[in-house]
Amino acid sequence: MALRLPAPQPLAIAVAAAVPTTLWIADGVVMRRRLAAARRDPLTGLLARDGYTRAATQLVARHGDHALVVFLDVVDFKALNDRYGHAAGDRVLAELGARLAQWAGPRGVAARLHGDELAAAVRSPVHRRGARLAQLHRALHQPVRIDSVLVDVGVSIGAASPSDLHTRDLPQLLRGADAAMYEHKRERTGHYRLATPAHAATPTVNGRRLGRPGTGPQSLAA
């Protein structure tokens, strides 16, 4: 006598068919989360350079002359590390990163590019740029509490806009903002420095302004 097995029920068939799809979706979610994490700086939670480049490029293309690219550098960061320790330096960077992200807002972009170099890209009408940058200066120059000590911090700020540099090319805007930041850091006058076309024409090596690490004589000869 032949053994008859019960016919598969429609619900069981649907569940069995859905399992591979569910696993594929779950794998996709994990992969997207890993890729997103790779685009973030682990110390500050800000975008890393690659993520910033993509997001800032899109923001500049979308807003054109109303876009503003900002480049920041912590003043005397090595001295701060030497005096208070690297853990304190990390605390300062994390706090400055949080302040920069708050300033940029949910529609802006904030990033840690390298070491103590931070960057942002926001939409800012021309007539509001001065007020926005002054607001950023005030936010970043508040002391940072490390344990029971309030540590004063200084940040050099350079900014560039397509309306001033006549380009929407992000590398040129960053180059101009970087050169303006360095000028602000060297002269220590005012709260920030806006880039001019001359700043954007500053010589670079491998995309980095001359004088920055990795742009010495050996780099020039390479």
Side-chain angles (χ1 to χ4, degrees):
M1 180 178 179
L3 178 64
R4 292 187 177 182
L5 297 176
Q9 297 300 309
L11 179 59
I13 296 174
V15 170
V19 168
T21 302
T22 302
L23 293 175
W24 179 81
I25 293 174
D27 287 343
V29 170
V30 171
M31 181 62 67
R32 285 195 296 273
R33 288 177 178 173
R34 288 177 178 174
L35 289 173
R39 291 194 291 266
R40 295 277 172 182
D41 170 58
L43 174 63
T44 63
L46 302 179
L47 289 173
R49 181 178 289 273
D50 288 347
Y52 174 79
T53 298
R54 284 189 289 270
T57 297
Q58 293 173 358
L59 187 146
V60 170
R62 185 182 310 119
H63 298 298
D65 287 351
H66 295 292
L68 186 66
V69 173
V70 180
F71 198 102
L72 314 169
D73 185 287
V74 182
V75 176
D76 295 330
F77 186 66
K78 183 180 183 303
L80 186 150
N81 274 328
D82 291 344
R83 181 175 180 181
Y84 296 101
H86 288 280
D90 288 348
R91 177 73 183 89
V92 168
L93 286 176
E95 178 61 30
L96 293 179
R99 296 177 188 179
L100 181 63
Q102 184 176 20
W103 177 81
R107 297 184 180 181
V109 183
R112 182 188 181 197
L113 301 184
H114 179 271
D116 62 324
E117 298 172 1
L118 306 176
V122 297
R123 181 188 182 279
S124 180
V126 175
H127 70 279
R128 287 284 300 156
R129 283 177 190 156
R132 285 282 278 152
L133 289 170
Q135 179 190 47
L136 177 61
H137 178 273
R138 288 193 300 271
L140 296 180
H141 283 77
Q142 299 298 317
V144 175
R145 181 173 293 279
I146 300 175
D147 296 327
S148 60
V149 179
L150 282 176
V151 177
D152 290 328
V153 293
V155 179
S156 299
I157 302 174
S161 68
S163 62
D164 293 332
L165 302 190
H166 313 295
T167 180
R168 297 186 181 185
D169 180 65
L170 182 66
Q172 289 192 52
L173 292 169
L174 272 175
R175 183 187 308 165
D178 180 14
M181 180 280 299
Y182 180 73
E183 186 177 272
H184 180 231
K185 185 172 188 174
R186 183 180 67 247
E187 298 182 359
R188 300 197 177 188
T189 58
H191 291 169
Y192 56 86
R193 193 63 47 89
L194 279 170
T196 66
H199 290 115
T202 300
T204 61
V205 174
N206 297 326
R208 294 176 66 77
R209 173 180 46 76
L210 288 179
R212 284 200 172 278
T215 61
Q218 291 181 348
S219 298
L220 287 171

